[in-house]
């Protein structure tokens, strides 16, 4: 690798967002780009999460790119190994390998106002890029709570996204902390093998049956022979979820029937009234992500499982202590406690036009124009940015919409010509965010009576999109230049190179006239 490599576009991350961006760049005729990946392989979330039982809760044919259909999914809900293999296939099929730079964790990226480029320091060397696409994803950096005494625990400790496959849980006493999407898959996978499993549950989840099955050879053969059947299957799955959105976003009271189905699902598996009481949520279904499992509840009824309806509060030697005072002796602690979603660590490493980091800009809450552009960070875009998450459908749909926005962003830069950058106007970002938050007020995620990882430290929902995927696709189909300042290099002799400001009081000359101001 050269000591310093300059490219047109630098993509950060090689999960669904990063690989999708790379494919879209090639389809747009952009081949001068790199994909910077901190790990040794592609896959993102589906590379890092390899815990026992790891699988997707979105149907396979919907949880894949529309431009890369897979007729050979082996199950209706795919396991981690199949999804990672799919992403490896995408990297190979679309010729992305030459663009990948592994072991290239981004340590810092800084906007150069004179050169109109991003200078990027990585573990694999220095890069610069005219445009940066940040596709690190919200589920990439595990969050382990600060538990008193945890540092002195002599047993094994790891997060579900950093599973220690060298440690054999068989015959061990295990504490599972958390009852989210990962935990309900881990519990039934390890329960038959451990000596004792103590589950620490702060808040019980709503769990619906997982209607999963193997997809037979004849069915897969039909999809290979008649590709339109794969598209039709995907379209049907998408349409069903689009029809469900209003119950989450406008009419949460309509979810009462779904709650009854979930309670019936629990009652079939859990006969003990005391255990059912522990497992019954006291908030509206959908406020947290609805989880799918047909094995979680049965696993909790086994004789070697204890459900503690309280969070882990302290560790004393080999003793774990719950907030309610109950204790258990354990050999290993597994955290299924989620990720840094509303405080993504990558934001600490992105330095914008005024010398502030993205984290400082977002200290009162994440916000970005159409989920992509942050004011003060020219030619920087994020995939799966603020308020682009989904509570009931496939994130791949949102990613593809953002790729449309990225493609038009690059087209606009070409039309403007020369060295040029676009910086989202603060007013445009604020107006977009205000509209999103206004729509959010009536949704189940804000009114359902729960505390979820969708909410930031200020109680604002900066994660979920409060509408349909169709609405988001329309909103991101084209870049509206009126929402951006156009930045050009400072004119010769204007002193910008010595720290003088451009037309808008910042390095580089900004133009409002070009964008219809």
């Amino acid at each position: 690798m050269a000591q310093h490599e300059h490219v047109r576009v630098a993509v950060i991350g090689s999960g669904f967002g990063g690989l999708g961006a790379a494919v879209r760049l090639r389809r747009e005729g952009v081949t001068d780009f790199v994909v910077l990946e901190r790990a040794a392989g592609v896959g993102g979330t589906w590379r890092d999460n390899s815990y026992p039982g790891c699988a997707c809760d979105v149907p396979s044919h919907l949880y894949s790119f529309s431009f890369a259909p897979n007729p050979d999914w082996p199950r209706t809900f795919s396991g981690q190994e199949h999804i990672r293999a799919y992403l490896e296939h995408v990297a190979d099929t679309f010729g992305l390998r030459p663009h990948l730079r592994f072991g290239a964790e981004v340590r810092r990226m800084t906007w150069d106002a004179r050169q109109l480029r991003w200078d990027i320091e990585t573990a694999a060397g220095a890069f610069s890029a005219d445009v940066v696409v940040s596709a690190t994803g919200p589920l990439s950096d595990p969050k382990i709570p600060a538990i008193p005494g945890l540092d002195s625990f002599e047993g094994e400790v790891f997060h579900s996204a950093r599973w220690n496959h060298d440690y054999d849980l068989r015959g061990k006493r295990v504490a599972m902390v958390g009852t989210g999407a990962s935990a309900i898959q881990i519990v039934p996978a390890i329960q038959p093998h451990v000596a004792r499993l103590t589950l620490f549950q702060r808040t019980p989840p709503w769990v619906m049956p997982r209607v999963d099955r193997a997809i037979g050879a004849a069915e897969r053969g039909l999809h290979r022979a008649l590709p339109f059947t794969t598209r039709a299957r995907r379209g049907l799955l998408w349409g069903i979820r689009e029809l469900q959105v209003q119950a989450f976003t406008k009419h949460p009271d309509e979810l009462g029937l779904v709650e009854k189905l979930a309670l019936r699902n629990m009652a079939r598996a859990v006969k003990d009234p005391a255990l059912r009481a522990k497992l019954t949520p006291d908030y509206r279904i959908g406020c947290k992500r609805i989880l799918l499992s047909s094995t979680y509840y049965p696993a909790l009824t086994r004789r070697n499982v204890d459900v503690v309806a309280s969070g882990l509060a302290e560790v004393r030697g080999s003793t774990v202590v719950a907030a309610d005072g109950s204790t258990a002796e354990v050999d290993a602690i597994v955290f299924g406690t989620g990720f840094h979603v509303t405080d993504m660590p990558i934001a600490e490493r992105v330095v914008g036009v005024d010398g502030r980091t993205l984290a400082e800009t977002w200290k009162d809450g994440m916000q970005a124009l159409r989920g992509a552009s942050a004011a003060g960070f020219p030619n920087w875009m994020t995939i799966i940015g603020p308020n682009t998450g989904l509570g009931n459908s496939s994130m791949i749909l949102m990613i593809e919409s953002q790729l449309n926005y990225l493609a038009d962003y690059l087209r606009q830069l070409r039309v403007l010509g020369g060295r040029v950058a676009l910086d989202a106007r603060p007013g445009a970002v604020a107006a977009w965010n205000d509209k999103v938050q206004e729509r959010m007020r009536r949704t189940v995620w804000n009114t359902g009576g729960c505390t979820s990882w969708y909410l930031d430290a200020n109680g604002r929902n900066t994660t979920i999109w409060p509408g349909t995927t169709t609405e988001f696709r329309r909103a991101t189909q084209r870049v509206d230049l009126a929402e951006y300042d156009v930045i050009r290099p400072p004119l010769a002799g204007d002193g910008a190179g010595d720290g003088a400001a451009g037309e808008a009081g910042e390095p580089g000359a900004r133009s409002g006239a070009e964008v219809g101001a």
Side-chain angles (χ1 to χ4, degrees):
M1 181 182 297
Q3 186 174 6
H4 182 104
E5 183 177 354
H6 180 79
V7 291
R8 175 62 173 158
V9 183
V11 179
I12 317 298
S14 68
F16 267 101
L19 294 183
V23 171
R24 191 57 184 264
L25 289 172
R26 288 186 64 89
R27 295 176 73 183
E28 292 293 318
V30 179
T31 57
D32 182 19
F33 70 90
V34 292
V35 179
L36 303 176
E37 170 56 57
R38 66 184 177 185
V42 303
T45 294
W46 297 103
R47 176 200 58 239
D48 295 343
N49 287 268
S50 59
Y51 58 78
C54 184
C56 190
D57 61 0
V58 176
S60 305
H61 287 84
L62 191 60
Y63 199 79
S64 47
F65 291 121
S66 64
F67 54 78
N70 178 18
D72 288 313
W73 289 116
R75 302 194 67 83
T76 52
F77 290 90
S78 291
Q80 175 264 346
E81 68 277 17
H82 300 121
I83 298 174
R84 184 175 181 186
Y86 171 77
L87 290 171
E88 295 279 2
H89 174 73
V90 168
D92 290 332
T93 301
F94 292 92
L96 304 183
R97 297 289 177 186
H99 302 279
L100 295 169
R101 303 290 187 271
F102 295 123
E105 181 174 13
V106 172
R107 293 170 174 165
R108 192 173 182 85
M109 63 178 83
T110 306
W111 177 248
D112 184 331
R114 290 181 298 174
Q115 300 295 325
L116 296 191
R117 72 183 192 187
W118 286 95
D119 292 326
I120 308 168
E121 303 169 26
T122 82
F127 295 81
S128 59
D130 300 325
V131 177
V132 167
V133 179
S134 181
T136 58
L139 306 182
S140 58
D141 290 283
K143 178 184 290 186
I144 294 181
I147 305 294
L150 182 62
D151 290 344
S152 62
F153 180 67
E154 295 182 357
E156 192 69 21
V157 178
F158 51 85
H159 190 278
S160 59
R162 300 292 184 267
W163 195 270
N164 184 357
H165 291 278
D166 294 329
Y167 183 77
D168 191 352
L169 290 176
R170 286 179 295 183
K172 302 295 196 304
R173 300 166 299 175
V174 180
M176 180 76 226
V177 183
T179 53
S182 299
I184 72 157
Q185 295 177 344
I186 294 170
V187 166
I190 68 173
Q191 174 272 319
H193 310 294
V194 302
R196 190 120 209 118
L197 179 60
T198 304
L199 177 66
F200 288 86
Q201 170 196 270
R202 286 194 308 174
T203 308
W206 284 102
V207 182
M208 295 289 286
R210 181 184 181 88
V211 186
D212 188 23
R213 65 174 178 83
I215 300 176
E219 199 172 343
R220 297 197 302 270
L222 174 67
H223 289 327
R224 284 195 301 273
L226 301 172
F228 78 88
T229 61
T230 305
R231 294 193 297 272
R233 184 174 190 158
R234 177 186 175 88
L236 178 62
L237 293 168
W238 164 78
I240 291 171
R241 280 155 181 76
E242 289 289 273
L243 292 174
Q244 295 171 344
V245 169
Q246 283 206 357
F248 291 87
T249 59
K250 297 180 180 179
H251 308 292
D253 290 343
E254 295 178 358
L255 293 166
L257 175 60
V258 185
E259 288 181 0
K260 291 179 181 178
L261 295 174
L263 292 174
R264 189 175 303 169
N265 175 50
M266 183 199 304
R268 279 196 296 265
V270 182
K271 304 303 181 184
D272 178 8
L275 181 56
R276 279 206 308 271
K278 288 182 180 180
L279 300 176
T280 301
D282 62 358
Y283 56 90
R284 174 65 76 191
I285 194 170
C287 184
K288 292 174 178 279
R289 188 173 181 94
I290 301 173
L291 307 182
L292 304 180
S293 177
S294 299
T295 56
Y296 177 64
Y297 286 142
L300 299 184
T301 67
R302 302 299 183 245
R303 297 179 65 177
N304 66 333
V305 178
D306 294 314
V307 177
V308 179
S310 182
L312 178 61
E314 186 181 356
V315 178
R316 302 174 190 158
S318 61
T319 304
V320 288
V321 184
D324 66 2
S326 59
T327 63
E329 294 292 314
V330 299
D331 304 303
I333 303 174
V334 180
F335 285 94
T337 45
F339 301 84
H340 289 275
V341 174
T342 60
D343 57 341
M344 292 187 286
I346 188 66
E348 297 278 0
R349 308 173 192 179
V350 184
V351 183
V353 295
D354 58 1
R356 290 198 305 165
T357 66
L358 184 61
E360 291 171 323
T361 300
W362 282 352
K363 62 182 176 62
D364 295 324
M366 301 189 302
Q367 52 180 311
L369 177 61
R370 303 182 188 273
S373 301
F377 298 84
N379 281 6
W380 180 91
M381 295 185 63
T382 181
I383 305 294
I384 317 181
N387 292 113
T388 61
L390 292 175
N392 74 317
S393 192
S394 171
M395 277 306 304
I396 314 305
L397 300 168
M398 302 296 278
I399 288 172
E400 290 197 28
S401 291
Q402 292 199 288
L403 298 183
N404 290 339
Y405 197 72
L406 168 63
D408 197 55
Y409 192 101
L410 295 174
R411 291 186 204 114
Q412 297 296 340
L413 291 178
R414 287 197 297 270
V415 170
L416 289 168
R419 276 199 297 151
V420 65
L422 296 177
D423 188 6
R425 292 181 165 184
V429 176
W432 171 261
N433 186 67
D434 288 347
K435 182 167 63 175
V436 169
Q437 293 302 321
E438 177 61 29
R439 292 187 61 180
M440 193 71 70
R441 289 175 57 187
R442 62 192 295 186
T443 68
V444 69
W445 306 299
N446 278 36
T447 65
C450 72
T451 300
S452 73
W453 57 267
Y454 301 149
L455 308 180
D456 65 15
N458 300 313
R460 293 172 62 252
N461 192 328
T462 58
T463 306
I464 296 294
W465 168 246
T468 64
T469 62
T470 302
E471 290 175 297
F472 188 76
R473 176 156 293 209
R474 283 200 298 263
T476 54
Q477 195 68 38
R478 295 282 184 272
V479 169
D480 182 359
L481 285 181
E483 296 179 328
Y484 289 87
D485 281 327
V486 177
I487 309 174
R488 298 203 179 266
L491 298 175
D494 69 358
D498 298 317
E503 293 179 18
E506 300 174 358
R510 292 171 176 260
S511 171
E514 289 189 69
V515 292

